[in-house]
C-alpha cells in the first residue's frame, strides 16, 4: 500500500484526476482506520504518506470544500488513533 500511496496516487494527481484521487484516498483512510493499525508494523509510515498525499490534493483548487472536509474528517479519526 505504501508504494501505491507514493507512486500511483502521485500519478493520479499529476494527471489531474482529482476526484479519483479524493475517492481513493477516502477508501485508503477507511482501511487505515479499520484494519491497518492492528495488522501492519509500518502503519505509521503509511499514515505519514497518506497525510502527505492529502496535503498535495488539498493544494489543488479542483475539489469543492465538502469533498475535502470529508477527507479531513477521516484524517481526524486517524489522528485520534495516533
Amino acid at each position: 500500500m505504501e508504494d501505491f500511496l507514493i507512486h500511483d496516487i502521485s500519478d493520479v494527481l499529476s494527471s489531474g484526476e482529482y476526484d479519483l484521487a479524493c475517492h481513493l484516498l477516502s477508501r485508503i483512510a477507511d482501511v487505515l482506520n479499520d484494519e491497518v493499525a492492528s495488522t501492519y508494523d509500518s502503519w505509521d509510515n503509511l499514515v505519514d504518506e497518506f497525510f502527505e498525499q492529502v496535503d498535495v490534493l488539498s493544494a489543488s483548487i479542483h475539489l469543492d470544500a465538502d469533498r475535502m472536509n470529508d477527507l479531513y474528517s477521516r484524517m481526524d479519526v486517524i489522528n485520534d488513533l495516533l
Side-chain angles (χ1 to χ4, degrees):
M1 185 182 313
E2 190 171 356
D3 285 341
F4 180 79
L5 280 167
I6 293 169
H7 301 292
D8 297 327
I9 291 290
S10 294
D11 290 344
V12 170
L13 288 167
S14 295
S15 68
E17 295 291 333
Y18 302 106
D19 287 327
L20 177 60
C22 186
H23 173 74
L24 292 172
L25 289 169
S26 292
R27 293 298 301 138
I28 290 168
D30 291 341
V31 171
L32 289 171
N33 290 341
D34 295 339
E35 298 176 19
V36 177
S38 62
T39 58
Y40 291 101
D41 292 334
S42 61
W43 186 75
D44 288 335
N45 293 339
L46 291 172
V47 167
D48 289 344
E49 190 59 41
F50 171 78
F51 284 176
E52 185 174 320
Q53 295 299 337
V54 171
D55 286 342
V56 170
L57 180 61
S58 69
S60 78
I61 58 169
H62 302 285
L63 291 178
D64 62 35
D66 289 338
R67 301 269 325 262
M68 286 310 300
N69 286 337
D70 178 59
L71 198 51
Y72 288 140
S73 70
R74 294 168 191 262
M75 289 174 65
D76 289 342
V77 172
I78 295 169
N79 271 327
D80 290 344
L81 295 173
L82 299 175

